[in-house]
Amino acid sequence: MSYKPFMKKSIWVLLVGFSVSCAPTKIVAPLEEGKVQVGATLGRPQINTGSLPLLGVYAAKGVSASTTAYGSAQLSSALFGAIQLDGGVVKGIRPSQGFTPGFSYSYGGNLFVSSRDFATRIYPEAGANMFWQKGPHILNVSANSWVDPTWFLAEYGRGQILAPSFGAGYRLRYKWIELQAEYKIVNPTREIQVPQAFVPSTFGLGGRGLYWGAAINF
Amino acid sequence: MASCADIGSAMFFGGDGDYDFSNENLDAAYQIDESKIHLFTVPSDEDTIHGLFLGDFSQLENDTIIYYLHGNGPSMDGFWSTVAVLANLGEQHRYGVVMYDYRGYGRSTGNTQNAATMAADYDAVLKWMEDRGLTSDRMVVMANSLGSLPAGPAAAGGSRIPVKKLIMEVPQSSADVIIQNATGLSLPSSMITEYNFDLGQNMEDYTGELLWMHAQEDKVAPVETARGAMQRHNGSYYREEVYPNVGHGLRWDIGNDEWTRVIHEFILH
């Protein structure tokens, strides 16, 4: 008999909402000083043959010509009983000029709090962006890593200190609106396992997904 | 936040059950006499649990019974061929076998939600067996995959008939491991569910005999963490069989001969 009852499609996809970096890189090129951006992000990590939307909201403000601060909340996590917030800054190193790319880096932190037992986890993160900006068009290649200072709390020695992600995307920043799309490879340093589900990966490691964002500038 | 959803219920893939337990799809060596196929129901809290007993009722009073806790398939239908093999270990109709559908699986009513519903269903069926004469020294509990979730706490002292022989086939390890393997982060399971099962702790508290069978390439219940949980066993006898180059559907992958050999040796140990 060939029936294997364990291989059916899973909705454990919801778990992936907690995967690192399940949103497009919020700010690639720093905002102009005083400019405020409020947006929503839609992550669609791939699992099995589909995905579920993972919704978040964020706000960012250009606090100087080269520094933008941001904060966000993952709404999908809240649905399942976890408060997931993050905040940080993006600092421009140099702007994009012609075919010469611009560079920026970011750092911040991610907070998870369980509403069930108030278990708390904090994960600092840092990243770097290379971008080309031509008028309203911005192309970016980004690398980011979360740091797990409580990796030793993972059971059976499965913890890891770094959880990196890599992405490439496009965003249209035109007047008061910004649209974002980014493809990301998430956590390629380990095998992501979701029970009774197939997680598309790169060489058997990590996960991947397409992430969208829309924001208003004012 | 108190009303937030619990992803625990999303773990359970209950579905319809035809309960067409016939010999049509069984190998000749594992067929079951129709007079030995018994469907029954028992109450569990406000719900009704549907079960299957293979054997003669006299076996419950005086012979070894395998209490099989099935995996995460829609119903007992998907495990019919498995329990038929178990009933015929060693010789035809050698063992009585009991299996049931958890709430929300097959025709069992309600929904499986957490450790409490799992434990209640396990106990309801066990009481049915206890009322018919089953005793601890003649009971073997065998758990496949999801079945390890109720089996662990039962073996750790939560069983009205104490468990002395336990077979864990491709078990999970803990709820924390599941979220940590899915995220790559040290997140506790309480971020998404109240169902904080911990089979490693259960094995520490279990004093009886344990056979652990697993697949090296298991993507549903990773062998590394299952090993960590099972090797915490602190009981009287421990045996592990881990098979290379096979997956979570262990019996299908290693074949009935090897599967039955190991299980029968353990039962007779």
Side-chain angles (χ1 to χ4, degrees):
Chain A
M1 187 173 181
S2 61
Y3 175 54
K4 296 180 180 180
F6 320 98
M7 303 304 178
K8 63 182 291 187
K9 185 174 180 179
S10 169
I11 57 173
W12 275 90
V13 62
L14 296 169
L15 275 177
V16 183
F18 291 87
S19 294
V20 297
S21 305
C22 269
T25 306
K26 297 176 188 69
I27 304 294
V28 173
L31 300 174
E32 296 173 23
E33 184 173 359
K35 182 87 76 177
V36 173
Q37 187 175 88
V38 177
T41 59
L42 183 66
R44 297 191 75 91
Q46 295 176 357
I47 190 166
N48 291 325
T49 55
S51 59
L52 280 181
L54 301 165
L55 190 63
V57 292
Y58 76 94
K61 181 178 183 180
V63 295
S64 72
S66 62
T67 302
T68 296
Y70 68 86
S72 75
Q74 280 292 330
L75 303 181
S76 302
S77 302
L79 180 65
F80 289 95
I83 299 166
Q84 183 181 350
L85 305 173
D86 71 273
V89 296
V90 180
K91 287 184 172 288
I93 299 173
R94 54 163 290 174
S96 170
Q97 292 180 324
F99 289 105
T100 305
F103 293 93
S104 66
Y105 67 95
S106 63
Y107 56 87
N110 300 269
L111 171 70
F112 291 75
V113 180
S114 167
S115 66
R116 295 182 177 84
D117 60 3
F118 304 107
T120 300
R121 297 288 186 273
I122 296 174
Y123 304 110
E125 67 170 311
N129 306 296
M130 181 167 66
F131 59 92
W132 292 263
Q133 186 167 15
K134 182 75 172 176
H137 306 288
I138 303 173
L139 288 173
N140 73 288
V141 178
S142 299
N144 172 281
S145 186
W146 289 26
V147 178
D148 189 347
T150 51
W151 84 95
F152 51 86
L153 294 179
E155 293 200 337
Y156 303 111
R158 297 277 290 168
Q160 62 177 21
I161 296 176
L162 297 179
S165 66
F166 303 93
Y170 167 78
R171 54 198 66 210
L172 176 69
R173 184 180 291 175
Y174 183 70
K175 295 183 179 177
W176 52 272
I177 195 168
E178 178 164 323
L179 302 175
Q180 308 157 351
E182 189 167 339
Y183 193 78
K184 301 184 83 169
I185 295 173
V186 178
N187 230 335
T189 55
R190 66 178 291 163
E191 186 178 5
I192 299 295
Q193 294 169 317
V194 179
Q196 299 190 282
F198 168 68
V199 181
S201 62
T202 305
F203 305 120
L205 296 172
R208 60 196 189 202
L210 191 57
Y211 302 87
W212 307 90
I216 297 173
N217 302 313
F218 53 90
Chain B
M1 296 296 288
S3 62
C4 59
D6 190 310
I7 205 171
S9 59
M11 292 191 300
F12 308 116
F13 300 137
D16 296 334
D18 294 330
Y19 294 174
D20 180 21
F21 301 119
S22 69
N23 286 307
E24 194 173 322
N25 296 321
L26 298 180
D27 292 342
Y30 304 116
Q31 299 212 336
I32 306 290
D33 190 298
E34 286 187 9
S35 66
K36 299 179 186 297
I37 301 172
H38 310 279
L39 287 165
F40 64 92
T41 62
V42 294
S44 178
D45 297 330
E46 304 302 316
D47 289 301
T48 300
I49 300 302
H50 286 250
L52 172 68
F53 171 53
L54 304 182
D56 295 322
F57 285 102
S58 61
Q59 287 179 282
L60 287 162
E61 294 180 31
N62 54 36
D63 207 348
T64 302
I65 300 296
I66 300 172
Y67 188 15
Y68 183 77
L69 307 172
H70 73 63
N72 208 5
S75 76
M76 294 188 287
D77 292 349
F79 303 89
W80 164 234
S81 65
T82 300
V83 292
V85 172
L86 289 173
N88 288 296
L89 284 177
E91 61 183 271
Q92 190 177 28
H93 300 148
R94 172 64 186 84
Y95 293 101
V97 182
V98 171
M99 169 172 69
Y100 67 94
D101 269 332
Y102 317 107
R103 295 177 203 192
Y105 288 72
R107 296 180 189 169
S108 293
T109 63
N111 291 294
T112 292
Q113 297 176 325
N114 50 39
T117 68
M118 279 286 200
D121 297 350
Y122 169 92
D123 184 65
V125 175
L126 195 57
K127 183 176 186 307
W128 181 87
M129 290 189 276
E130 183 183 53
D131 290 345
R132 285 157 182 77
L134 182 63
T135 54
S136 180
D137 57 319
R138 293 182 292 103
M139 179 175 76
V140 177
V141 174
M142 178 168 183
N144 170 267
S145 191
L146 175 73
S148 62
L149 273 62
S159 179
R160 68 169 57 233
I161 300 176
V163 179
K164 292 182 177 176
K165 276 187 181 286
L166 173 66
I167 302 169
M168 290 288 218
E169 182 190 25
V170 291
Q172 293 290 344
S173 49
S174 75
D176 284 351
V177 163
I178 288 179
I179 186 173
Q180 289 161 6
N181 280 345
T183 62
L185 298 170
S186 58
L187 290 168
S189 60
S190 63
M191 294 289 176
I192 54 171
T193 181
E194 65 175 22
Y195 197 168
N196 183 27
F197 65 90
D198 184 352
L199 297 182
Q201 184 60 55
N202 295 152
M203 290 305 98
E204 279 190 24
D205 297 336
Y206 170 53
T207 58
E209 300 180 4
L210 173 64
L211 166 62
W212 169 50
M213 302 176 74
H214 218 96
Q216 191 69 41
E217 306 302 324
D218 197 324
K219 301 296 184 188
V220 177
V223 66
E224 297 88 354
T225 49
R227 176 180 285 115
M230 295 300 108
Q231 289 188 344
R232 290 169 66 181
H233 173 248
N234 204 24
S236 56
Y237 173 81
Y238 175 81
R239 176 176 176 177
E240 68 175 49
E241 297 287 344
V242 178
Y243 296 90
N245 305 315
V246 297
H248 196 64
L250 188 64
R251 181 170 71 84
W252 290 274
D253 288 349
I254 67 174
N256 284 335
D257 289 347
E258 172 64 11
W259 192 78
T260 56
R261 180 187 70 81
V262 171
I263 291 171
H264 205 203
E265 283 179 2
F266 176 72
I267 291 175
L268 297 176
H269 165 76

